[in-house]
Amino acid sequence: KCTGKQEQYMHGRGGFVNSFGNQAYYQFLCMAVPYIEESIRYLVQLVGYNPVQLKDRDGIPTQYKMIDLLYRDEVKSLFPPNIIFTLQMILTYGKFNTGLNLRNDVVHGILQWNEFNRFNSSLIFLTIFNISGVAIWIKNRNNTEVKKSNTKKKAAVKEE
């Protein structure tokens, strides 16, 4: 469930869902792409994986690059193969430089003005739906695990 702030960000007057519907593709992509990245990192943490690595010799934690994160075995096991492939090809340049790399192009200001279009926006919108489906699956799985755990605890208490 979205918090009030998340709901406003997604659906409010200036939210990215409305931006897509109003064909304001520049606004949509600039808001939706960071939201997708944050969502992926959140889902990875939710299932117990750390999206942060110790990178430099000083031990300063940094986030994995999106391409490195999406190709980690732990993350690939989190998403169904067709969704992980879609995320890799839309958000990064992929292993063989065949992806669209929309994440980097939007976040770093590389995307050309004419590329803020319906096609790229539709791909990002599709990506949001894919991530939402995985989030619902994780939530349901976690709820099932909690129920099973509670049932086992109650059974153990009854045996005592």
Side-chain angles (χ1 to χ4, degrees):
K1 182 176 179 186
C2 293
T3 65
K5 187 175 182 180
Q6 290 169 324
E7 189 72 29
Q8 182 68 22
Y9 186 70
M10 289 174 61
H11 301 290
R13 270 184 54 201
F16 64 78
V17 173
N18 285 335
S19 298
F20 181 80
N22 294 330
Q23 298 179 358
Y25 300 126
Y26 177 82
Q27 182 180 3
F28 170 76
L29 287 170
C30 288
M31 291 183 352
V33 169
Y35 179 82
I36 289 169
E37 181 172 3
E38 181 182 336
S39 298
I40 291 170
R41 292 183 189 283
Y42 173 75
L43 291 174
V44 168
Q45 279 185 311
L46 195 63
V47 296
Y49 302 121
N50 189 356
V52 175
Q53 64 182 347
L54 293 177
K55 186 149 185 150
D56 63 14
R57 60 180 161 247
D58 296 326
I60 297 173
T62 59
Q63 292 185 334
Y64 282 105
K65 293 177 185 176
M66 186 55 60
I67 189 165
D68 296 336
L69 189 64
L70 290 176
Y71 281 93
R72 291 186 58 80
D73 289 336
E74 305 89 17
V75 176
K76 289 193 316 190
S77 67
L78 170 63
F79 295 96
N82 60 330
I83 292 179
I84 195 70
F85 178 77
T86 301
L87 294 174
Q88 291 167 344
M89 290 298 104
I90 292 174
L91 299 177
T92 72
Y93 50 78
K95 279 190 173 179
F96 306 106
N97 289 333
T98 55
L100 296 174
N101 204 22
L102 285 177
R103 183 257 172 224
N104 281 349
D105 290 352
V106 170
V107 172
H108 297 294
I110 301 168
L111 203 64
Q112 298 298 314
W113 183 251
N114 63 341
E115 294 174 307
F116 288 95
N117 56 36
R118 183 182 190 119
F119 177 76
N120 287 334
S121 296
S122 296
L123 290 174
I124 293 298
F125 207 78
L126 169 71
T127 303
I128 292 170
F129 279 115
N130 284 332
I131 292 171
S132 298
V134 172
I136 291 168
W137 175 78
I138 289 171
K139 182 179 178 189
N140 289 339
R141 185 187 72 177
N142 288 348
N143 287 342
T144 302
E145 288 174 4
V146 168
K147 287 178 185 176
K148 286 179 182 178
S149 175
N150 289 341
T151 303
K152 288 179 184 178
K153 287 178 186 176
K154 287 178 185 177
V157 169
K158 285 181 182 179
E159 289 177 7
E160 292 175 1

